[in-house]
Amino acid sequence: MIAALHPGAFYHIEALEGPRYASLFARLIRPEALDEATLSGISALLVPCRTSPARLVPHTALFRSFLARGGTLVAMGETFQDLWLPGLTLTPEPTNWWWWLTPGADLGLRILRPDHPLMRGIAETDASWHLHGWFDTPPGAEVLIADRGGRALLFVDAVNHGAGRLVATTLDPFYHHGSHFMPATTRFLDRFLANLLAWNPP
Amino acid sequence: MILFLLSHHGGLPAPFIAAAEAGLLRALPEGSLDDAALGPACGLIVTMHADQIALAERAALLDGFLARGGRILVNGHLLRPFVAGVSGFIPSGAGRLPDLALSPLAPHALFDGIPREAFQARRGVAGFYGRGHVPPPAGARPITGIGSDCAPLDWEWRHPGGGLLFCHAGNDLWTTLDDASLTARLARNICGWLADAALAERAA
């Protein structure tokens, strides 16, 4: 079962409660309500884009124990994961909102592991809207999406968190989908969330 | 004092730093919004990143603020009825260019000295300003329309107690202009409008 944190901004309300994806989440949890009891029976916890890290930092130990016992934690973009997931190194970069105005332009994003269960059916154009930064790849982690320089935009770390799997990305599709802006983000979420559900069967 | 309700990571947006340094405005973490914080305030800025679920639980607080003459600027799509009892966002058509066309419907102090057409696009791309509207309460004054039917993307509503609410159903207003000097003017206008009630009271 997948749960999502629900930080309550309009784009979260639209994306998490709207009819397109609401049925995929077994539970929506307010960050302040997060505890062992609210995570009972949950195999994957998704932290949506633009959740303020101030609301996540108090739960660092809980995230660690959730991972250690085999949970999947999905940390989406613009949540400044380095502040609430100790050990991660995140390098933000200024957003180029305009790259696509140049005919033939390429954001440079590459899906390195199209065969991975989380990437099934996702084309590079479905994942290309803006870049907000990159991660140093943790030792042993698999980079599924990288930028032009091969730096990690989405990785799966199944070796450094006990029995758990950490999925971290700098992409922020919930924000744009929930704002009715950027159709690629909806295409990305359509596939990514279905893949996540299949990857974490009930 | 104007309160800028801080809901995102990264602190006060640059266009409001001058007002903060002048002692006119201060950032307030959204979890700290209560009667004590609002008591000495004349105006409140709510961003598009606000936790509307938490704000809806404090709707009476905001209503009380408007009832005693306070002014509120709300940005974003109101999907929880945290102010004026309104909620619901209606996207403008299919989001094509004519659906995103802006129409000034009335002048407003927020836009003094700013050509309204400057909000239409950034680098030729429409949609930053807004992509739909929140249906206003009865008696609201439409300020900016969107799409062929000029749906009220911006509106102002006067609370029976005298306070004013400006609702902008789009991205944070200060992020919608290309020109930095116009953005600075907009931030000054916002502060001026939010402080106006306090100035009027003081003059009386």
Side-chain angles (χ1 to χ4, degrees), chain B residues 78-168:
Chain B
L78 271 75
L79 297 185
R80 286 288 193 277
F82 64 85
V83 70
V86 297
S87 73
F89 176 77
I90 302 174
S92 184
R96 296 193 170 85
L97 210 48
D99 302 322
L100 303 176
L102 304 175
S103 304
L105 302 177
H108 194 280
L110 291 189
F111 305 123
D112 283 352
I114 303 172
R116 299 284 284 274
E117 58 270 22
F119 292 104
Q120 179 58 54
R122 294 193 59 191
R123 299 200 194 184
V125 180
F128 282 92
Y129 190 80
R131 308 179 67 78
H133 78 286
V134 173
R141 188 166 70 102
I143 305 295
T144 307
I146 185 167
S148 56
D149 57 352
C150 295
L153 193 168
D154 295 330
W155 45 261
E156 184 185 82
W157 175 72
R158 182 177 291 278
H159 189 283
L164 287 174
L165 166 68
F166 189 99
C167 174
H168 167 67

Side-chain angles (χ1 to χ4, degrees), chain B:
Chain B
M1 175 63 73
I2 297 165
L3 300 178
F4 186 105
L5 198 62
L6 213 52
S7 307
H8 65 284
H9 180 65
L12 204 56
F16 293 99
I17 298 293
E21 288 176 349
L24 181 64
L25 174 149
R26 75 178 176 93
L28 180 75
E30 68 179 355
S32 302
L33 181 68
D34 58 16
D35 263 327
L38 273 178
C42 59
L44 176 68
I45 299 173
V46 178
T47 76
M48 61 183 292
H49 305 292
D51 179 348
Q52 296 191 9
I53 296 172
L55 284 180
E57 292 166 359
R58 300 178 218 175
L61 189 71
L62 298 179
D63 189 68
F65 181 64
L66 289 170
R68 59 178 184 268
R71 295 189 176 188
I72 303 178
L73 166 65
V74 168
N75 299 273
H77 309 168
L78 271 75
L79 297 185
R80 286 288 193 277
F82 64 85
V83 70
V86 297
S87 73
F89 176 77
I90 302 174
S92 184
R96 296 193 170 85
L97 210 48
D99 302 322
L100 303 176
L102 304 175
S103 304
L105 302 177
H108 194 280
L110 291 189
F111 305 123
D112 283 352
I114 303 172
R116 299 284 284 274
E117 58 270 22
F119 292 104
Q120 179 58 54
R122 294 193 59 191
R123 299 200 194 184
V125 180
F128 282 92
Y129 190 80
R131 308 179 67 78
H133 78 286
V134 173
R141 188 166 70 102
I143 305 295
T144 307
I146 185 167
S148 56
D149 57 352
C150 295
L153 193 168
D154 295 330
W155 45 261
E156 184 185 82
W157 175 72
R158 182 177 291 278
H159 189 283
L164 287 174
L165 166 68
F166 189 99
C167 174
H168 167 67
N171 288 338
D172 288 336
L173 275 172
W174 52 92
T175 69
T176 62
L177 290 161
D178 273 335
D179 186 305
S181 63
L182 292 181
T183 299
R185 176 66 193 262
L186 176 65
R188 289 199 302 274
N189 288 351
I190 289 171
C191 292
W193 180 74
L194 288 169
D196 194 40
L199 296 174
E201 189 178 313
R202 213 169 291 167

Side-chain angles (χ1 to χ4, degrees), chain A residues 1 6 9 19-20 24 28 30-31 36 49 61 69 72 86-87 91 93 101 106 117 144 156 160-161 168 180 186 191:
Chain A
M1 291 201 297
H6 193 343
R20 197 175 189 101
L24 302 178
L28 300 177
R30 298 279 287 151
E36 292 288 358
C49 330
R69 66 173 179 266
T72 298
T91 304
E93 65 179 313
L101 290 175
D106 174 10
L144 306 189
V156 177
N160 295 304
H161 299 279
H180 303 269
T186 304
R191 293 308 316 159

Side-chain angles (χ1 to χ4, degrees), chain A residues 106-161:
Chain A
D106 174 10
L107 186 60
L109 178 145
R110 295 290 176 264
I111 296 179
L112 302 185
R113 288 286 315 278
D115 56 327
H116 190 280
L118 281 178
M119 293 291 104
R120 281 183 191 140
I122 298 177
E124 285 173 351
T125 51
D126 300 336
S128 297
W129 52 95
H130 310 123
L131 303 182
H132 292 288
W134 66 87
F135 297 106
D136 288 358
T137 307
E142 274 185 293
V143 177
L144 306 189
I145 303 180
D147 68 6
R148 195 187 303 276
R151 300 173 297 202
L153 305 182
L154 189 152
F155 69 79
V156 177
D157 182 352
V159 298
N160 295 304
H161 299 279

